[in-house]
Amino acid sequence: MKWIRLRVPALEESAACEAFHAYYPSIETSILIKLLSALDFHPLSINLLAQAAIQNEWSPQNLITAWDHQRATLLEAGDGKSQSLAVTIETSLNSPSFLKLGETVHHLLQIIAFLPQGISKTHLTAIFPGVSNIESCADAFCRQSLAYLNGDFITLLGPICLYMSSHYNQDTSLLRGIQSYYATHIRESHIVIAEYVNIEHVLIHWLRNTEGDTQAILNVLMTASWFSYILWHYVPLSVSLYPAISALNVHNTHDIRSWRNFFMQAKKSKILLRNKSSCLFQLSYLMHFVGQMEEAKKAYKEAQILALEVGDLDLLASHHWILAIYDSIQGNFLAAEELLHTALGYCSGLSGVFRLSRVTKTRIKLQMIIINLIKGRPDTLQSLPTFKQKYKQYNLYWINFYAGYLALQNNYLDLAKKCFEEIQANGAKKCFEEIQANDDEDNPWRWIKSILLAESADLEGDYTKSQTLQAQVLEVIERRTD
């Protein structure tokens, strides 16, 4: 007799609620939808959950409490083998088609269950380059209806995910492969944007399981720093990394413990402290940007303490400078000025080893001039020639940009034209080429370029070109929904 495999699809939301209400009618639909969506509206799981509620004579509140505390257990209890989700899954895993694929089957299922988004089918071989049958295993899951494709991601139904997570140890060699893959590709914005939920989940697990290994700690802190940086610059989103990073113990690693290697251990300890400080600084900018203000303040304060602990005042001053730039962009100039003055204060009355680098001090001074120009202080224009001569070897693009506009506002047309001409002569071309490479209509730098060129054209008497550029900017702004 030839057997035919029938696929049992997930139910529609209304059909799933109707099926559950047939057994257990005394629960509000809005509450029920939340429960059943966690099961991906899987028919057998709906049946098992309803049967458990009836057999235990639970009220709706008792059912919710039981679900929160023992999800996987509720889906295992059936009247017979055919009614047990556990038996159904184990029967599939012990079938000849899976057994011939070896242990990779179990390991890959655990990884897919562990990752909230599932795993990218496109990058499957790149993630696990040493596993020759990885794609065969993934295909087998889909054929057996244990997994399905959600866009590019291979993912599991909620009940199967719950079962795998509660019955199998997730800490496999494949998990280390996932960590290595994300660490290697963390600077690639398209991967971070597509898989940020997975990456954050992996990072939190990794941060909690470094086991005191120095290299593992350095790798995860570096990866977390870049993750925060990419999100901040491309897709600012709320994150939950702070508790795990804060709890990471970088003072007591197991690599070196002998007196003979005391100085080497001290050096490594400083490196770890400095990396944790940098990671917390970077995370604080992201959280500040997305409105996680309390956690952002805690992370920034902790990062300051760590920087002071290792005596790295240059690191501390550099991050004051970065935060000052962010405050300036948001128009919070008083906070920005306070940060910059504090940063400069670190270089006074200190021993030579703790002094700020020339680069850091210059960055701070340049940003202070920019703030004065943005705030419209005309006296800044008087000292501008001397300042520009002193720092002529640095990129003065934004100094000239804001000085030009301040000069325009105060009717110093010659000075304004000179500033704009210097921009065009000393790097505007390169800046504009970079803008052109990212020719996104919503890119504010593209607008700045158009506005700057319009003002330059106006100063040169080319009013037609100036009006055309201004009209283009206005057209883009009017099309924006926000």
Side-chain angles (χ1 to χ4, degrees):
M1 179 182 294
K2 184 178 180 180
W3 291 88
I4 299 175
R5 181 180 298 279
L6 297 177
R7 294 184 179 275
V8 181
L11 298 175
E12 295 292 331
E13 183 181 288
S14 57
C17 291
E18 186 178 340
F20 193 93
H21 278 140
Y23 291 95
Y24 187 90
S26 58
I27 185 170
E28 293 181 15
T29 301
S30 60
I31 297 173
L32 181 59
I33 289 172
K34 292 180 181 178
L35 283 176
L36 301 187
S37 64
L39 300 172
D40 288 331
F41 304 114
H42 182 248
L44 175 56
S45 300
I46 292 169
N47 179 286
L48 290 172
L49 188 60
Q51 292 286 356
I54 293 169
Q55 291 168 8
N56 290 284
E57 298 182 349
W58 283 330
S59 67
Q61 185 56 52
N62 289 338
L63 172 58
I64 293 168
T65 302
W67 175 249
D68 288 339
H69 290 87
Q70 45 182 324
R71 297 187 179 198
T73 305
L74 291 178
L75 301 181
E76 291 179 35
D79 292 332
K81 287 187 178 180
S82 63
Q83 291 296 306
S84 170
L85 182 66
V87 169
T88 302
I89 294 171
E90 290 298 337
T91 299
S92 293
L93 292 178
N94 289 301
S95 67
S97 60
F98 277 143
L99 289 175
K100 70 180 182 182
L101 293 172
E103 281 300 307
T104 304
V105 167
H106 292 82
H107 294 322
L108 183 56
L109 264 182
Q110 292 168 58
I111 291 297
I112 298 174
F114 174 71
L115 297 171
Q117 294 175 265
I119 198 162
S120 170
K121 182 173 176 59
T122 302
H123 300 139
L124 200 57
T125 303
I127 296 171
F128 306 115
V131 185
S132 59
N133 65 339
I134 198 74
E135 292 195 4
S136 300
C137 292
D139 291 339
F141 296 155
C142 294
R143 285 198 305 271
Q144 296 276 4
S145 298
L146 287 177
Y148 64 97
L149 272 177
N150 182 15
D152 181 49
F153 290 92
I154 303 168
T155 189
L156 306 180
L157 289 170
I160 299 173
C161 188
L162 283 172
Y163 178 82
M164 294 302 301
S165 298
S166 62
H167 285 74
Y168 289 90
N169 177 18
Q170 297 163 348
D171 192 17
T172 71
S173 58
L174 294 193
L175 179 55
R176 289 184 285 279
I178 286 281
Q179 292 170 349
S180 176
Y181 174 78
Y182 284 144
T184 302
H185 296 277
I186 198 63
R187 302 187 189 194
E188 298 175 34
S189 59
H190 66 283
I191 291 179
V192 175
I193 292 168
E195 303 188 38
Y196 68 88
V197 177
N198 278 351
I199 295 172
E200 182 178 22
H201 193 65
V202 169
L203 282 172
I204 290 172
H205 182 274
W206 194 359
L207 285 160
R208 292 171 176 168
N209 294 275
T210 59
E211 299 176 351
D213 181 81
T214 300
Q215 194 57 52
I217 293 172
L218 286 173
N219 288 345
V220 71
L221 287 174
M222 186 66 70
T223 306
S225 291
W226 273 103
F227 178 66
S228 300
Y229 176 84
I230 296 293
L231 286 185
W232 182 32
H233 282 264
Y234 290 92
V235 280
L237 295 162
S238 298
V239 290
S240 305
L241 284 173
Y242 173 62
I245 296 173
S246 179
L248 182 63
N249 184 357
V250 296
H251 290 88
N252 190 27
T253 58
H254 62 61
D255 292 14
I256 302 172
R257 295 284 173 83
S258 66
W259 281 103
R260 184 170 59 86
N261 291 312
F262 174 78
F263 292 107
M264 182 64 73
Q265 177 67 16
K267 183 178 179 180
K268 283 197 172 186
S269 179
K270 278 196 171 186
I271 293 171
L272 291 172
L273 288 167
R274 188 177 289 111
N275 274 269
K276 182 175 179 179
S277 176
S278 294
C279 184
L280 286 167
F281 274 128
Q282 193 62 63
L283 179 64
S284 72
Y285 305 145
L286 171 63
M287 294 192 296
H288 194 93
F289 193 85
V290 298
Q292 294 176 262
M293 301 306 295
E294 289 306 312
E295 279 196 313
K297 290 176 183 176
K298 289 178 183 177
Y300 196 86
K301 183 67 175 176
E302 187 174 345
Q304 284 181 295
I305 292 170
L306 291 171
L308 288 169
E309 185 175 343
V310 294
D312 196 340
L313 298 181
D314 197 72
L315 173 67
L316 187 55
S318 295
H319 285 285
H320 273 37
W321 167 69
I322 294 172
L323 190 57
I325 292 175
Y326 172 71
D327 281 333
S328 300
I329 292 170
Q330 291 205 319
N332 194 353
F333 300 116
L334 288 176
E337 286 181 301
E338 184 178 343
L339 282 165
L340 293 172
H341 283 301
T342 302
L344 282 178
Y346 291 133
C347 65
S348 60
L350 298 168
S351 63
V353 70
F354 289 157
R355 289 190 182 278
L356 304 189
S357 69
R358 181 182 296 274
V359 171
T360 300
K361 285 192 283 189
T362 301
R363 285 173 172 173
I364 293 167
K365 289 176 180 178
L366 288 173
Q367 189 60 29
M368 290 180 78
I369 289 290
I370 288 173
I371 290 174
N372 288 335
L373 291 169
I374 294 173
K375 293 180 74 173
R377 293 172 177 166
D379 57 309
T380 309
L381 295 174
Q382 297 172 9
S383 60
L384 192 62
T386 303
F387 183 88
K388 287 166 66 175
Q389 179 62 29
K390 183 177 180 180
Y391 296 103
K392 61 183 179 182
Q393 72 271 35
Y394 294 94
N395 184 353
L396 301 179
Y397 177 88
W398 292 112
I399 298 288
N400 281 314
F401 181 83
Y402 289 115
Y405 272 101
L406 181 57
L408 276 177
Q409 292 168 4
N410 288 274
N411 207 32
Y412 301 145
L413 298 184
D414 289 342
L415 177 58
K417 187 173 182 179
K418 185 177 180 182
C419 288
F420 291 151
E421 286 174 348
E422 285 185 26
I423 289 175
Q424 290 178 318
N426 300 321
K429 182 179 179 182
K430 181 181 178 182
C431 180
F432 293 165
E433 286 173 351
E434 290 174 356
I435 294 167
Q436 194 68 30
N438 183 22
D439 201 20
D440 181 2
E441 191 174 82
D442 288 331
N443 184 355
W445 307 119
R446 181 182 175 187
W447 302 1
I448 289 172
K449 181 193 77 170
S450 297
I451 293 170
L452 176 59
L453 291 176
E455 291 291 347
S456 296
D458 191 61
L459 285 170
E460 292 168 355
D462 191 345
Y463 304 117
T464 302
K465 181 179 180 181
S466 177
Q467 290 173 356
T468 301
L469 288 165
Q470 290 180 40
Q472 289 174 357
V473 174
L474 286 172
E475 184 182 349
V476 171
I477 292 172
E478 287 172 357
R479 284 203 299 267
R480 287 175 62 89
T481 57
D482 57 350

